[in-house]
Every structure is written in structure tokens, then in C-alpha cells.
Amino acid sequence: MNNNMRLLNVPTEEPVRYSTNFIQTAVCELRFPILLELEDKSPVKFQSALKKRYPFYSKQQGISLGANTASPLANRYLFESKKKNWLVTLSPSSLALETSKYTLFKDFSDRIDGLLNTVGGFLDTDFFTRVGLRYINAIPLDDYLIDGWINPSLITPVNEGVLGSLSAFQSEIRGYIHEGDYTFRHGVDTNTLKNGNPTAYMLDFDYYSEGTEFDNVLPLIEKFSHQNFSFFRWTLGEKAKETLGEGIAKK
């Protein structure tokens, strides 16, 4: 890393556990050198190993749409939990775990650990080309106002009204952390509008690093998660913090 490169520098806060959270989706993606057999052969052994915890299996054929053409992409194999709130996705070069019911980081990391222990041999790799952890949060705007819910530093043009009434507001920031890189997207879009008023503000945090040894995956995503808590807290306004309430310190 360039010595002159400036890292993300939000105030550090020790993670706490809230009785509720704003997380809509949490995803951990692990990319690995391509497994050619997955390009045209279903992962029978993989499915058998996961069947007890992720019993629902399906297959997707991706399509890339171009000018007057449609090109096939690699197959994706999906494995869902019984309640359909945990999803494992396998492709020829990636493995991902996604949940729509995030509670504690330990529960999430335990799932990743169990997944790696179950299918690590199948992947046949001692490193991952990229490890990513992503949290997509929806901050409920109970009064349809962004002001007060989000850190003013992020929404100054909106608060000042110079942009007028908005039908969408989205921003993307990319930068660096000690363990790798991050992409931060935030704003409102047409899916979060009701009668022209925003009902939610989206905060999308994505952390990633390249070239990670197999045994270092869990320590890395734990560092990502710890960094995310500080970053997430910094993005919130007082109304959002009050909605979360007082957290319980993690032990």
C-alpha cells in the first residue's frame, strides 16, 4: 500500500448488540480459482453435503444482454435453508453466503465456518482470490424526512434544499482500509419512495481484500465487521441512533 494513501478514518467504536438492526441483507462472498467441472456439471457431492442445512436446491443460468444479443453466463447453484432466510450460492469461481435475517455477527461467522468445513475439500483451494463482506441497511424514515436520520456530512446538498425535491439520490464512494478496500453506496431510489416521499435511506457497505489464505478467512471478515460497526455508526443521525436504542456491550 502506498505510504501516502489515506485510510478510512471514522471514529472507532466498540461493537455492541442491539435488540433490533437495520440490516436488510448480509453477504459474504469468497472467490477462488475457477473449477471447470462446475461449468457443465451439477455439484452433486456439494449438494449432498449441504442438504441437511440447506435443503432447497435450484440452478440458474445467467444471461448477459447486449445489443440485439443474449450471451449465456456461468451456471449458479443455489441452496436455501428451510425457512428461506439463508442462501448459499455456488458458481465455477465463487461461493457466497447470504441472509435476510441477520442477528449477530457470531451467528453469521459460525455459518461461514460451517460452510467452509463442509465444502472446503470440494473447492480444492488453499486460498481465495477475493474475500468480501457486505451489509445492506435500510434506515426507516418514519417521518419521510432524511434530515435527522443520516449524518449531515453525507446529505448536505439534500438538507440545504438546493437540489429541490428528489425522485432519487444515490452516491458511491470507494476507498481503503487496513485490510483492503471498501465501497460505500448510500441514498434513496424509486423503490423507497411513497407518494414522492422517501420511506427508507439505504446504506450499503462492501469490504473486500484479494489473495487471502483459506485459514485467514474468518479473522479477516471479523476485522471487516468490526470496521463496519464504526463506519455504520458514523453514518447515522440522532433519530436513527435513538431507534436502535442502547446497545449491550459484546463480551
Side-chain angles (χ1 to χ4, degrees):
M1 181 178 293
N2 190 321
N3 291 332
N4 295 322
M5 192 175 292
R6 297 170 61 184
L7 304 178
L8 178 68
N9 190 30
V10 296
T12 300
E13 297 199 36
E14 287 301 316
V16 298
R17 176 168 55 87
Y18 298 107
S19 58
T20 187
N21 65 58
F22 299 135
I23 297 175
Q24 191 178 67
T25 306
V27 185
C28 177
E29 184 190 44
L30 309 173
R31 299 182 187 176
F32 47 81
I34 191 168
L35 283 172
L36 294 177
E37 63 184 272
L38 291 179
E39 293 196 328
D40 55 13
K41 182 179 178 182
S42 296
V44 177
K45 293 182 179 179
F46 190 98
Q47 189 268 344
S48 179
L50 292 183
K51 188 174 182 179
K52 185 173 182 179
R53 200 165 196 182
Y54 305 94
F56 296 106
Y57 166 78
S58 60
K59 177 181 175 181
Q60 287 184 349
Q61 171 68 64
I63 298 293
S64 176
L65 299 178
N68 302 318
T69 62
S71 303
L73 298 177
N75 291 327
R76 297 170 71 240
Y77 306 96
L78 311 181
F79 310 84
E80 286 186 283
S81 63
K82 187 175 181 180
K83 294 184 177 181
K84 302 293 185 76
N85 51 14
W86 290 90
L87 173 67
V88 174
T89 303
L90 177 68
S91 79
S93 59
S94 70
L95 173 69
L97 176 68
E98 175 180 333
T99 184
S100 59
K101 192 172 182 179
Y102 185 95
T103 51
L104 299 174
F105 173 73
K106 187 178 187 308
D107 293 340
F108 191 66
S109 64
D110 283 350
R111 284 262 183 175
I112 297 170
D113 188 28
L115 184 60
L116 289 175
N117 286 334
T118 302
V119 302
F122 176 85
L123 299 179
D124 191 29
T125 184
D126 57 3
F127 78 103
F128 292 98
T129 56
R130 175 175 165 134
V131 173
L133 180 65
R134 184 178 183 185
Y135 292 108
I136 302 174
N137 299 262
I139 311 302
L141 306 178
D142 296 338
D143 50 12
Y144 303 123
L145 299 174
I146 299 174
D147 188 22
W149 292 93
I150 302 299
N151 186 327
S153 298
L154 291 173
I155 55 173
T156 297
V158 176
N159 282 346
E160 292 180 347
V162 66
L163 301 178
S165 298
L166 304 179
S167 59
F169 170 73
Q170 298 174 330
S171 180
E172 179 177 290
I173 300 168
R174 298 188 182 190
Y176 310 95
I177 57 177
H178 283 289
E179 295 78 19
D181 303 76
Y182 74 87
T183 298
F184 172 52
R185 305 174 184 89
H186 66 98
V188 297
D189 58 32
T190 54
N191 294 323
T192 61
L193 294 178
K194 181 179 180 180
N195 298 323
N197 297 311
T199 60
Y201 196 94
M202 306 305 295
L203 299 171
D204 183 346
F205 305 87
D206 192 1
Y207 307 90
Y208 41 94
S209 182
E210 297 182 353
T212 301
E213 297 298 315
F214 191 100
D215 293 338
N216 290 336
V217 168
L218 293 180
L220 177 60
I221 63 169
E222 184 173 3
K223 291 177 181 177
F224 285 161
S225 180
H226 196 284
Q227 175 69 79
N228 179 74
F229 184 81
S230 296
F231 196 179
F232 168 73
R233 285 283 296 180
W234 179 83
T235 65
L236 300 182
E238 292 306 314
K239 291 180 182 178
K241 292 178 182 178
E242 290 172 5
T243 300
L244 285 175
E246 293 295 324
I248 301 173
K250 292 183 179 180
K251 298 181 179 179

